[in-house]
Every structure is written in structure tokens, then in C-alpha cells.
Amino acid sequence: MTSNRSMTAAAIRQWSRRCFLTAAGGIAVAAAAWQPVQAQDAEWDKVIGAAKKEGTVVLYTALVGQPSTKKIAEAFTEEYGIAVEVLEARASEIRERVRVEQAAGRFAADVMFTSEGQTRLYDAEDKSIDPLPVTPNSRKIKPQFKLQVPMASVMTIPYGIMVNTGLVKPADEPKSWKDLVDPKWQGKILADDPRAIGAGYLWFFSTYDRIGEDYLKKVAGQKLVFTRDQRESQRRTARGEYSIYMPVILTDMSDLKGLPVKFIIPEEGVGYVLYGNVLLKKAPHPNAAKLYLDFLQGPTAQKIYASLGYGPVIDGVTEGLPADIKAISEAKLYGTSDSRRQNEMLAKAKEIFK
């Protein structure tokens, strides 16, 4: 009897010890997981504090005249009390300005808002940008927008088709990019010129890769009228000079409300340009710059972009939007261009569209 009691007591002690070690191990794992998170939060708090002391972030943006820039700057200032100084100019002008400034030893700007293609040039040729910092919101963006180049992805600009509703009956509306080869549209399509960098080139690049060269040769047979003035082209189509204009920036829909036009999201999806921020070399306000990079990938800025029809780079920000805006913001992405193939594709466009 005594022997059985001793064995039972020993078993209980052994079981208790295993439970204690297991529990202790669990606590240790939890503590190990908790400490890095707390350390990361503490480090980010230091960045926020230092950014507020710097008081300003200087932004160069190639997206000229867009209301999103001002709205986001105001939201950032409201959140952190940090002023945003903005310079808007064409991408080529900003690139030259940065080159001249940095060559002279002047590092005036912190962040530049630009496209993925331009970022490749800044990184490979100009050496004018720094590696991106890891920020809290940078971990939340969709995998497809995590890039090899040092650009913090922010949003996509979608391109589709515009028709004049007085000239094009609902039953005849082109539903896809492939519908543009229908003979009834011959001589009735105004198109951004694909033989120069711009929206037309983006359309050419994406459809060449997805549909093929034969398709583009058929489009060339439609006797397109080429333009390089997007804004005026929209107005010309609205006035009835042409039945179709393509590719159109779908976010411009709100600018043309009340006019006899309709914006169409092609069945295949939208051509797009990915825009984001780069950190300029030797940024004069490095902490404010990091904070701004993070802010634009966070929900506040992403909701602003989505509300204007741009494609967000994080999930969960399109709920509650008007149906037409939501459809554009959530449109399937069809294709984009690649600056590494620029010379090849421009030559191909000039060969097809003589």
C-alpha cells in the first residue's frame, strides 16, 4: 500500500513538473514574441517624436493638379502637426531638378511621388534615392505591390475606354479592348498616341503582352486619330467629334459629369500605372520623411485615394464608396509597362502605327 502511494506521489510530482515547464515555456515564448513588438513600437515612437521636432516634410510630386495631394497633406498635418511643402512638376522636370540640386550638394527635398518606371531610372542611373525604411504600414500592403525597386507603393491610376453616349448606343458600347477592332469604329476612335510615352503607350504595351501583335495590327487598320493632349481629347469626344476616346484615365469621370460621356471598365481589366513614394538621398527631414512614407500606405491616405477612384494598395478601404467610384477603385488590373523594355516597345509601336 505504501509502495503504491509512493508511486502515485512520484507520478503527480513528475506530472506537475511537466506542466510547470510547459507553462513556463509558453510564457517564455509569449514574452519573446511580445518584446520585439514592444521594441518596434518604442522605436517607431522615437521616429514620430523626431519627425515632430523636424516640423516639415518637403515633397516633390509628378502627379500635377490632383486634389489627392492637398487632401493627404492636410490629413498628415492634422495627424502629426507636421507641415507638408509641395512642389508639383512634370516627371522629367522633377528628375532634372533633383539631379541639379544633388550635383550642387543641395538636398532640398525629402520625398518624391513618382511612378515605378521613373523609380527604376532614379535608382539605376541617377543614384538619387536611398533604400526604403521598413515602417509599420509597409508590412500591410498587398504582395503584388511589394517591389524590387525602392519605391513605397501607394496607388494605381486606372485606364479604360470613354464613349460619347449621343453617338454610341448602349447595345453598341465596346465592352472589352478587343471590341475596338469592330469595323463600325473605323475612323471614329480618338487615341492617345502609343508612339510616345504616355497613356497610349501604356495601352499598347499591356495589350501587346496580353492580346498580341495581330490584335494591334487590326486596331491600326481602324484609322485611329492620334493625340497627346488627354484633357482636351476628353472634351473633343464629349462634343461629338469622335465616338470613342481611349485610353482614358477613369478617375477623370467626376470632371465630366453632366456631359454626354460614359466611362467603361473593359472586361479584361484596366491598364494601370503604379505610383508611390521614394526617399531622396540625404533627406533634410529624414524622420518626417519616414513618417510620410508610412502615412501614405496607411488607411487614412488609402481611403482618400480610393474615394477618388484610384486603386489602393491595402485591403479594406473601399467599403461605403458610391458604386461607380468603388467599381473603378476595385477594377481588375490588366497590365502596365516596363521601363526596361521601353526602347523595344516604342520601336514596335512606331512600326505598327506608321
Side-chain angles (χ1 to χ4, degrees), residues 307-318:
S307 71
L308 296 170
Y310 297 109
V313 297
I314 65 172
D315 291 319
V317 296
T318 59

Side-chain angles (χ1 to χ4, degrees), residues 169-213:
K169 298 176 182 178
D172 294 333
E173 292 172 1
K175 301 296 190 297
S176 76
W177 295 115
K178 293 179 182 178
D179 289 343
L180 297 176
V181 302
D182 191 310
K184 67 173 171 278
W185 303 128
Q186 191 171 93
K188 299 178 181 179
I189 300 175
L190 182 62
D192 194 78
D193 195 340
R195 300 165 298 183
I197 299 299
Y201 169 73
L202 168 68
W203 163 79
F204 176 86
F205 200 116
S206 58
T207 54
Y208 183 93
D209 280 354
R210 295 297 190 97
I211 305 178
E213 187 170 331

Side-chain angles (χ1 to χ4, degrees), residues 183-247:
K184 67 173 171 278
W185 303 128
Q186 191 171 93
K188 299 178 181 179
I189 300 175
L190 182 62
D192 194 78
D193 195 340
R195 300 165 298 183
I197 299 299
Y201 169 73
L202 168 68
W203 163 79
F204 176 86
F205 200 116
S206 58
T207 54
Y208 183 93
D209 280 354
R210 295 297 190 97
I211 305 178
E213 187 170 331
D214 287 344
Y215 160 76
L216 287 162
K217 288 179 177 178
K218 291 178 182 177
V219 176
Q222 293 288 66
K223 299 180 181 178
L224 304 182
V225 177
F226 289 133
T227 177
R228 295 188 184 179
D229 188 335
Q230 294 183 37
R231 303 293 180 185
E232 181 57 24
S233 297
Q234 295 171 9
R235 299 286 173 175
R236 291 176 68 185
T237 305
R239 289 195 296 266
E241 293 182 35
Y242 297 92
S243 298
I244 295 173
Y245 171 59
M246 70 90 188

Side-chain angles (χ1 to χ4, degrees), residues 93-274:
E93 295 169 351
I94 286 180
R95 186 183 181 193
E96 182 61 21
R97 182 186 183 100
V98 170
R99 280 195 296 203
V100 170
E101 287 177 346
Q102 293 192 358
R106 293 182 59 243
F107 299 90
D110 301 295
V111 176
M112 180 163 49
F113 191 65
T114 189
S115 67
E116 181 182 3
Q118 285 292 311
T119 299
R120 291 188 189 280
L121 299 177
Y122 292 124
D123 187 40
E125 297 181 10
D126 300 355
K127 308 296 182 184
S128 57
I129 57 179
D130 277 338
L132 288 175
V134 176
T135 70
N137 285 321
S138 68
R139 300 182 178 91
K140 301 173 185 176
I141 66 170
K142 299 175 185 178
Q144 70 196 94
F145 300 124
K146 294 180 179 179
L147 309 176
Q148 297 298 316
V149 294
M151 184 184 88
S153 300
V154 169
M155 59 80 162
T156 59
I157 300 177
Y159 289 80
I161 300 169
M162 187 178 87
V163 299
N164 180 296
T165 54
L167 300 175
V168 180
K169 298 176 182 178
D172 294 333
E173 292 172 1
K175 301 296 190 297
S176 76
W177 295 115
K178 293 179 182 178
D179 289 343
L180 297 176
V181 302
D182 191 310
K184 67 173 171 278
W185 303 128
Q186 191 171 93
K188 299 178 181 179
I189 300 175
L190 182 62
D192 194 78
D193 195 340
R195 300 165 298 183
I197 299 299
Y201 169 73
L202 168 68
W203 163 79
F204 176 86
F205 200 116
S206 58
T207 54
Y208 183 93
D209 280 354
R210 295 297 190 97
I211 305 178
E213 187 170 331
D214 287 344
Y215 160 76
L216 287 162
K217 288 179 177 178
K218 291 178 182 177
V219 176
Q222 293 288 66
K223 299 180 181 178
L224 304 182
V225 177
F226 289 133
T227 177
R228 295 188 184 179
D229 188 335
Q230 294 183 37
R231 303 293 180 185
E232 181 57 24
S233 297
Q234 295 171 9
R235 299 286 173 175
R236 291 176 68 185
T237 305
R239 289 195 296 266
E241 293 182 35
Y242 297 92
S243 298
I244 295 173
Y245 171 59
M246 70 90 188
V248 66
I249 300 175
L250 293 173
T251 56
D252 288 347
M253 177 178 64
S254 59
D255 296 338
L256 300 174
K257 280 189 175 178
L259 298 179
V261 297
K262 181 178 179 180
F263 284 55
I264 296 171
I265 300 172
E267 292 173 349
E268 302 95 336
V270 297
Y272 71 96
V273 178
L274 178 62

